[in-house]
């Protein structure tokens, strides 16, 4: 949870900077931010967040938050068990993490029982381990 919190703070900070840049480019003060079209801004920020999760996880199994707390995503199926995950697994995991977070963290509840894997880990055949 701590690494997810750190990643969320980093992505929130990045989103804030991007939003500020958009306001500056459009010559808008903060109190006029409501005139920006919501869908494109949200879509762009969602793509940036997914890109962050995907690229860091695919490259080395760790986002900055996971690095800070000494954990890593590894494979959990017969072909990648305990090793780096495939790009396909990283894509699935990144995409499936979004609903886990958006539904008030409900996708993380399964990690509290059983084999300690969140819903997105179970579906992507991955596991988070200490390094």
């Amino acid at each position: 949870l701590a690494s997810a919190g750190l990643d969320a703070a980093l992505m929130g900070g990045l989103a804030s900077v991007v939003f500020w840049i958009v306001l500056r480019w459009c010559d808008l003060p903060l109190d006029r931010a409501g005139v920006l079209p919501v869908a494109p801004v949200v879509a762009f920020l969602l793509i940036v967040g997914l890109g962050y999760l995907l690229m860091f996880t695919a490259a080395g199994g760790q986002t900055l938050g996971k690095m800070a707390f000494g954990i890593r995503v590894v494979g959990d199926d017969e072909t990648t068990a305990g090793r780096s995950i495939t790009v396909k697994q990283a894509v699935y995991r990144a995409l499936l993490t979004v609903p886990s977070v958006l539904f008030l963290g409900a996708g993380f509840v399964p990690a509290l029982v059983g084999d300690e894997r969140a819903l997105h880990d179970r579906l992507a055949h991955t596991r988070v381990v200490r390094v």
Side-chain angles (χ1 to χ4, degrees):
L1 287 175
S3 73
L6 180 56
D7 285 331
L10 290 170
M11 287 189 285
L14 179 60
S16 297
V17 169
V18 168
F19 190 69
W20 178 79
I21 290 170
V22 168
L23 288 175
R24 298 290 294 166
W25 281 346
C26 295
D27 239 358
L28 292 172
L30 184 58
D31 62 346
R32 299 262 339 236
V35 301
L36 291 173
V38 175
V41 172
V42 170
F44 177 75
L45 295 175
L46 187 62
I47 289 168
V48 169
L50 278 172
Y52 170 84
L53 292 173
L54 172 63
M55 298 308 293
F56 273 99
T57 304
Q62 295 177 297
T63 59
L64 296 174
K66 286 179 181 58
M67 287 178 201
F69 289 92
I71 56 178
R72 182 172 185 250
V73 178
V74 296
D76 196 36
D77 60 5
E78 58 278 350
T79 58
T80 60
R83 297 186 320 217
S84 295
I85 62 174
T86 65
V87 173
K88 183 178 176 181
Q89 284 175 303
V91 169
Y92 285 154
R93 190 174 192 280
L95 290 173
L96 294 168
T97 298
V98 173
S100 287
V101 172
L102 291 180
F103 292 112
L104 303 175
F108 292 94
V109 172
L112 301 174
V113 295
D115 65 357
E116 300 178 341
R117 292 187 303 155
L119 183 61
H120 50 273
D121 282 315
R122 292 172 192 229
L123 294 173
H125 302 286
T126 59
R127 171 179 302 284
V128 177
V129 297
R130 292 219 172 269
V131 290

